[in-house]
Structures are given as C-alpha cells and as structure tokens.
Amino acid sequence: MIEFINVDKEYENGFKALKNVNLTIEDGEFVAIIGGSGAGKSTLIRTINKMHDITSGKLTVNGKDVSSLKGQELRDFRRDIGMVFQGFNLVERTTVQKNVLSAFIPELSGFKKVFGLYSDDMKKKALEALDSVDILDKAYQRTDALSGGQKQRVALARTIVQKPTIILADEPIASLDPVTSRQVMNYFTNLNQKYNITILINIHDVDMALKYATRVLGVRKGEIVFSGHPSEVNDEVITNIYGQDPKSIVVE
C-alpha cells in the first residue's frame, strides 16, 4: 500500500509541485494520473521511489517511511519498485538482452560488476522477461536498431526481471503512435492482472487512461482534484482537472 498524508513538495526555486496531498493506493491497483502540463503528475510518482524528496508530510510504501530511507536500505527499497520512462533509458549501443541484464547490476559484486559478468540464471530470467513482452526474437540485436515501441517493451522487460510489486511509469506512451501505445498499455494491463503488480501511470492521453486504468487521479496545480473509477469521469470532471472545456483539450 502507498499512502500520502498531508504531503507537500516545494522545489528550491519556490515552486510548490504538490500541495497537501492525501492519497491511498491499494495493492494491485492500476492507477492513471491525468492533468495538464506542470500539474505535478511526474513529481507525484517520483516521490514514491524517492527520486524526489517530499518537503513535508508523510509518505509510506508498504509500511516504510520513504523519507527515512537512505544508503543500502534505500537501494533495497527501490529494487521493489520498477520505473519506466518516456525516453526508455536504455543503452543504445549494446544488445537488448544486456539492457535487461542491467537490472541485476546491484546484485553483482567486485569484478563481476565491473565486467558485467552475469550468471546463467540471470541470463535465463532476462530472456524470459523479453519473452513475456513478445520481443525475445530481438534479444541479441543492438538496441539502437529497434523502433520506439520495441524499446519501451525492452524497458518493460528490464522492469519485470526485478520482480517488482510496484511499477511507476512516467509518460510511457507519449512518444509512441496510437497502435503501439495500445500495445504497450496492454502489456501494463497483463502485468497488473497476472502478477497483481500495483501500477501508477502518468499519462497525457485521457482516453487511454479511461480505457485501461481501474482508477483515475486528476491533478491540478499540485492538488488531487479527482479520484475515482474511469466511469465517473465526465465533462465536468475533465473541466475541473484541466481548467478548460474537454473539447478544447489537445493531446500532444
């Protein structure tokens, strides 16, 4: 379970990205976070794995006070939380399999870490993760030869191999075409349903959010202004979240 209690986040320049956020995410939920540019969506999910520190309030994940975590304890905590980015965050000049294997680097020690010496079991798990997102046939190809959708599936495989209980995704389909976007969202759905992984996706496409999520959060100016089932989202709700008529919203 993820719990925000009166959480604020203020950056050094004085910008308040989160304001008195009170929110509970239950295990196994598929949550889509929607809102305008600069609303605080990315900040919200990046506080969960402590990529961003909160300024005040309390944030707990599976009973752990995130603000108190540091050093090895923080690294161990992050192993349980997968992160998927819009820009994929892959090493383009190496193979697909090696990108997935990079998830095991924290488990290596000494010269094995320096030279990237992975066990046969790790290699097997990497291939199984690639197979789970239907890209096993690209395992030994260079990553820079892949399409954007294929790269995002590799990023997902790298996350899967960690066996996380939570996956955070920051605009994972923003740079993809509609067909590929649906394919990637289907993989998220499969992970959520098959493994009961809690998924939080910061997403710009409202229609995609309503189609795939089991719960929608609306963020505006750092505040949670809506939390509910996709069926509850109507024109009035969208107007409140974005501050404009739904018909005037342009999805980029």
Side-chain angles (χ1 to χ4, degrees):
M1 185 173 73
I2 303 167
E3 189 172 17
F4 291 77
I5 303 174
N6 302 323
V7 169
D8 288 346
K9 169 60 180 176
E10 185 173 339
Y11 289 104
E12 292 183 358
N13 63 4
F15 177 73
K16 206 162 189 179
L18 298 177
K19 304 173 186 176
N20 196 38
V21 172
N22 288 280
L23 174 68
T24 299
I25 307 294
E26 300 291 346
D27 294 345
E29 284 198 80
F30 188 150
V31 181
I33 306 167
I34 62 174
S37 178
K41 305 186 299 298
S42 291
T43 301
L44 181 69
I45 66 171
R46 289 173 184 236
T47 59
I48 293 170
N49 62 355
K50 209 182 178 184
M51 287 183 72
H52 293 329
D53 289 309
I54 63 173
T55 304
S56 61
K58 187 173 184 179
L59 170 58
T60 61
V61 177
N62 297 330
K64 295 182 178 180
D65 185 344
V66 176
S67 294
S68 69
L69 299 175
K70 57 184 178 180
Q72 187 60 49
E73 190 177 12
L74 176 59
R75 289 189 288 274
D76 291 342
F77 168 76
R78 285 175 170 165
R79 291 287 295 160
D80 197 41
I81 302 177
M83 187 80 188
V84 179
F85 301 89
Q86 176 182 346
F88 318 127
N89 276 30
L90 302 173
V91 180
E92 297 277 337
R93 294 185 177 183
T94 194
T95 66
V96 165
Q97 184 192 35
K98 286 183 179 178
N99 268 288
V100 178
L101 284 168
S102 68
F104 291 115
I105 288 176
E107 299 179 22
L108 301 178
S109 59
F111 73 94
K112 289 185 178 181
K113 181 176 292 188
V114 174
F115 294 103
L117 300 178
Y118 302 99
S119 68
D120 289 341
D121 183 57
M122 289 176 177
K123 292 175 182 178
K124 179 182 176 183
K125 288 178 179 177
L127 295 176
E128 289 173 347
L130 289 168
D131 192 31
S132 71
V133 291
D134 301 319
I135 199 166
L136 179 60
D137 60 316
K138 306 293 185 183
Y140 304 109
Q141 291 190 18
R142 274 179 49 132
T143 307
D144 55 10
L146 304 184
S147 67
Q150 290 170 331
K151 289 177 182 178
Q152 196 58 285
R153 282 151 64 189
V154 175
L156 262 177
R158 182 182 56 193
T159 298
I160 293 166
V161 86
Q162 294 178 220
K163 297 190 179 301
T165 61
I166 299 168
I167 293 178
L168 309 175
D170 194 3
E171 296 284 9
I173 62 171
S175 60
L176 306 179
D177 64 77
V179 173
T180 307
S181 294
R182 287 191 291 272
Q183 291 173 344
V184 170
M185 291 299 289
N186 282 331
Y187 287 118
F188 278 115
T189 298
N190 291 340
L191 291 172
N192 172 250
Q193 295 177 353
K194 185 176 181 179
Y195 301 107
N196 198 42
I197 297 173
T198 305
I199 295 178
L200 286 86
I201 290 185
N202 164 17
I203 189 168
H204 67 285
D205 191 317
V206 176
D207 289 337
M208 286 285 190
L210 300 184
K211 180 177 180 179
Y212 289 96
T214 59
R215 180 179 174 192
V216 174
L217 295 180
V219 182
R220 183 181 181 190
K221 296 181 179 179
E223 299 179 303
I224 305 294
V225 296
F226 176 81
S227 175
H229 191 270
S231 63
E232 300 174 60
V233 178
N234 53 33
D235 285 358
E236 183 179 351
V237 168
I238 294 297
T239 299
N240 186 40
I241 294 171
Y242 288 91
Q244 56 183 310
D245 187 277
K247 297 180 182 62
S248 66
I249 297 173
V250 177
V251 176
E252 299 178 356

